[in-house]
Amino acid sequence: MKKKNSQKQMFFEIWNEREHVCTNCKRHLGNEPLAQYFSHIKPKGLYPELKFDKDNIQLLCFECHYAFDFQGEDKYQLKHRIY
């Protein structure tokens, strides 16, 4: 089982490999890799085998991450159109 440090390391790797923009609304995320920017596409609770899969991580701004996790597809897609 990988430790929390492994997830943190993976997030740093993703941050260094990808453009620092929200994949949904295209808002710039700044220069600091905050944990809130890293969103599991398939939830790690339902798909624990994908927890450390970089292809299962998307970069999202706080608003889009919240909409993706808690407000449903309609609100998430609306964020895409707003910005």
Side-chain angles (χ1 to χ4, degrees):
M1 182 94 179
K2 294 186 179 184
K3 297 179 183 176
K4 189 173 185 176
N5 286 345
S6 296
Q7 183 168 305
K8 185 176 180 179
Q9 179 61 36
M10 180 184 66
F11 287 170
F12 277 115
E13 289 174 12
I14 290 169
W15 189 255
N16 289 325
E17 294 169 358
R18 300 183 190 173
E19 190 176 358
H20 303 162
V21 297
C22 176
T23 57
N24 188 46
C25 72
K26 309 305 182 210
R27 182 185 301 175
H28 190 266
L29 300 176
N31 296 317
E32 187 178 350
L34 303 177
Q36 68 191 23
Y37 296 152
F38 300 88
S39 173
H40 286 84
I41 298 165
K42 292 186 177 182
K44 57 188 174 188
L46 294 175
Y47 302 91
E49 69 278 9
L50 298 177
K51 182 176 182 176
F52 296 101
D53 184 343
K54 288 184 186 180
D55 293 332
N56 189 45
I57 303 293
Q58 60 186 340
L59 291 176
L60 297 176
C61 68
F62 177 76
E63 291 83 4
C64 288
H65 194 165
Y66 185 82
F68 183 80
D69 284 351
F70 301 110
Q71 295 179 318
E73 185 69 21
D74 291 343
K75 291 281 188 179
Y76 177 70
Q77 291 299 327
L78 181 61
K79 298 285 184 195
H80 178 76
R81 292 190 294 269
I82 290 175
Y83 301 105

